[in-house]
Amino acid sequence: PVLPPTMEGFVVRYANGFRVKVKGEQYAELFRAVSSFSAQVVLEAMRSGHGDFFVTLPEELRPLADAIRAQIVAQIATVQERAKVLFAAAPRTTRKDFALWVKENARPELQSVLFTLLDGREPDWYRLVDVSQLG
């Protein structure tokens, strides 16, 4: 039988006194989420597109998860704006000119982002989030 997430489980007691605790799958997943909760877990949930992660969190963790999510979104917006300004200013006459300019004007963590943009691809913005600044 499937147990609701609000039900932890039940105990099976055998005639010889041996007991086994049976946990519901949803409760076990919820326990794992709570026990392993961190800013990194929130970041990975966002990166992988698991919006249901936030819905299944216990009520007590939702405000913290929402605050961390907002901080991640803000960090990404800041980095995107910085990259946009740098990319607009960079010369694109040749790839070499672009590379030399980027090397002189962009912080190392943004250099690969600028080349990704030059190649017409979308960068992995989540890679640039500083998890140590979250929480």
Side-chain angles (χ1 to χ4, degrees):
V2 175
L3 299 175
T6 55
M7 186 174 175
E8 179 178 348
F10 53 91
V11 176
V12 177
R13 192 172 106 190
Y14 293 92
N16 66 1
F18 182 73
R19 295 176 188 207
V20 176
K21 189 167 194 176
V22 178
K23 301 268 188 180
E25 185 177 331
Q26 290 178 321
Y27 185 85
E29 286 178 19
L30 190 59
F31 180 78
R32 279 192 295 277
V34 170
S35 62
S36 65
F37 184 80
S38 68
Q40 185 67 44
V41 169
V42 174
L43 177 64
E44 290 307 318
M46 291 176 68
R47 176 184 255 160
S48 60
H50 288 212
D52 59 333
F53 168 81
F54 297 96
V55 175
T56 60
L57 274 177
E59 218 173 285
E60 301 81 17
L61 286 178
R62 285 187 193 152
L64 179 57
D66 288 341
I68 291 170
R69 181 171 29 185
Q71 291 171 5
I72 290 169
V73 169
Q75 273 193 32
I76 289 173
T78 299
V79 170
Q80 285 175 327
E81 183 58 33
R82 201 173 306 139
K84 179 181 168 186
V85 168
L86 287 168
F87 189 71
R92 289 189 280 282
T93 49
T94 67
R95 193 168 183 89
K96 181 180 178 181
D97 290 339
F98 182 82
L100 292 171
W101 189 92
V102 166
K103 186 176 179 182
E104 274 191 35
N105 295 282
R107 294 192 333 233
E109 66 272 10
L110 281 179
Q111 291 176 6
S112 66
V113 167
L114 294 171
F115 279 99
T116 301
L117 291 171
L118 181 66
D119 294 338
R121 295 178 294 141
E122 188 66 21
D124 177 6
W125 299 107
Y126 292 104
R127 181 183 63 80
L128 300 170
V129 172
D130 183 357
V131 180
S132 70
Q133 299 297 311
L134 304 174

